[in-house]
Amino acid sequence: PEPLCTFAAYDAFVECANYENDAERLAKLREVVATLPRPHLVLLSRLMHMCQKIAEQQEVNKMSPANVAIVVGPTILKPPTQPGDGGAFSALGIGDMGSVNQVTQDMLLGWEKVFDGVVPDAPVSPLASPRGGGGTGAAAGGTPRGGNGSSTYDDIDSSAAPASPT
């Protein structure tokens, strides 16, 4: 299956790790994530925001930003497989692991700079906590995804203002 950071965007993501300047690297990451298909973009933004929150609790959970990136990075950003390799990482993919981890860590640490304004306001997750101050998810007493039980992102207004991180 296609990973969250698509096969087509793999090389562009890995190249982002080559920028030594943090601001340039985050700006390039912002450009690359903006090329992802809308469902991938929305989910990636939510996932990186969640990973950022997990890393903020590293004193308790021992999951530093680097540790979170090591766990999540290879799942969301992997090289295209070649016919006959059984889906295993190629030698090139294994050689890119440092870059994959760096880019993943940059996306979670620089979440606001990478995703703010790129991802329009998306519906609240059906798993959102009712303590979160509202929301339309099932856990908040509503129905998932746009109020009609739809499982697509068709109900997301692309002209809406960007979601502000909480």
Side-chain angles (χ1 to χ4, degrees), residues 27-43:
K28 183 62 177 173
L29 269 171
R30 182 180 174 88
E31 289 176 21
V32 175
V33 299
T35 67
L36 294 173
R38 183 167 174 69
H40 290 240
L41 177 61
V42 171
L43 184 56

Side-chain angles (χ1 to χ4, degrees), residues 65-153:
N67 288 345
V68 173
I70 288 168
V71 171
V72 174
T75 303
I76 63 168
L77 183 58
K78 55 186 175 180
T81 57
Q82 301 300 318
D85 68 4
F89 270 94
S90 65
L92 173 63
I94 291 173
D96 290 341
M97 279 297 117
S99 296
V100 167
N101 294 342
Q102 177 66 54
V103 166
T104 305
Q105 184 173 330
D106 288 339
M107 284 192 288
L108 76 93
L109 288 174
W111 181 81
E112 293 87 358
K113 291 181 176 141
V114 174
F115 294 99
D116 187 36
V118 175
V119 181
D121 191 21
V124 174
S125 164
L127 302 176
S129 167
R131 294 179 288 153
T136 59
T143 55
R145 305 231 164 106
N148 63 5
S150 168
S151 62
T152 67
Y153 289 97

